[in-house]
Structure formats: structure tokens, C-alpha cells
Amino acid sequence: GLTFVFDSIGAALTLFYSLMVVTLFAPILGGLLLPRAGRWGALASMLVGVATFATIQLVTNGAGYGWAEPHFIGLCASALTYLILAVF
């Protein structure tokens, strides 16, 4: 299982908490501030955020691009998706 993928429990928790932030932060905050996007906007932002996070994580082997780590890029993609769907 996961014991072959991660070096320690801390590394596994870091990845899982990063995934949780990417998945939930934008829809929860967006739902409080911009409820117009609705459940489909929340679902789309979750899917885009996770897909972006996973792609950047796999392509760069977890390093990200410069100062932008994979979870930050996924969070930005998720927030941008929610914002676009809330406005239009």
C-alpha cells in the first residue's frame, strides 16, 4: 500500500492535507462569499483543483514551478474556476 509510496507518516499527511485544502478551500469560501455558483460550480472547482494538483505533482515530482508548489497552483486553479462560474 502506501508504505511503499511515502517515506514517513508526515509525508503522507502533508500530501493528504494539501489535497484536502485544494479540494475544499475555494468551494467553502466561495459558497460563503459568492453563493451564485451553486453546487455545480463547487464541484467543477474541486475537480479542476484536484486535476491541476495531481498533474503538477506528477509532472514536477512534487517540486512545483519555482516558488509555486503544486498545492498552491491547484488552489489557484480551483479558486479561479469557482470565480468564473460564480460571475457568469
Side-chain angles (χ1 to χ4, degrees):
L2 292 175
T3 57
F4 298 115
V5 176
F6 298 107
D7 297 337
S8 66
I9 293 174
L13 286 174
T14 300
L15 180 74
F16 291 133
Y17 279 124
S18 295
L19 187 62
M20 187 173 66
V21 166
V22 166
T23 306
L24 298 176
F25 185 74
I28 289 175
L29 191 62
L32 291 172
L33 299 175
L34 300 167
R36 186 171 175 225
R39 66 178 160 233
W40 296 113
L43 181 62
S45 75
M46 288 179 193
L47 292 175
V48 168
V50 168
T52 304
F53 172 73
T55 302
I56 301 297
Q57 184 79 17
L58 292 173
V59 168
T60 65
N61 202 16
Y65 295 109
W67 58 269
E69 296 187 10
H71 62 273
F72 180 72
I73 297 171
L75 180 63
C76 289
S78 177
L80 187 63
T81 302
Y82 191 88
L83 183 65
I84 288 171
L85 292 175
V87 171
F88 297 109

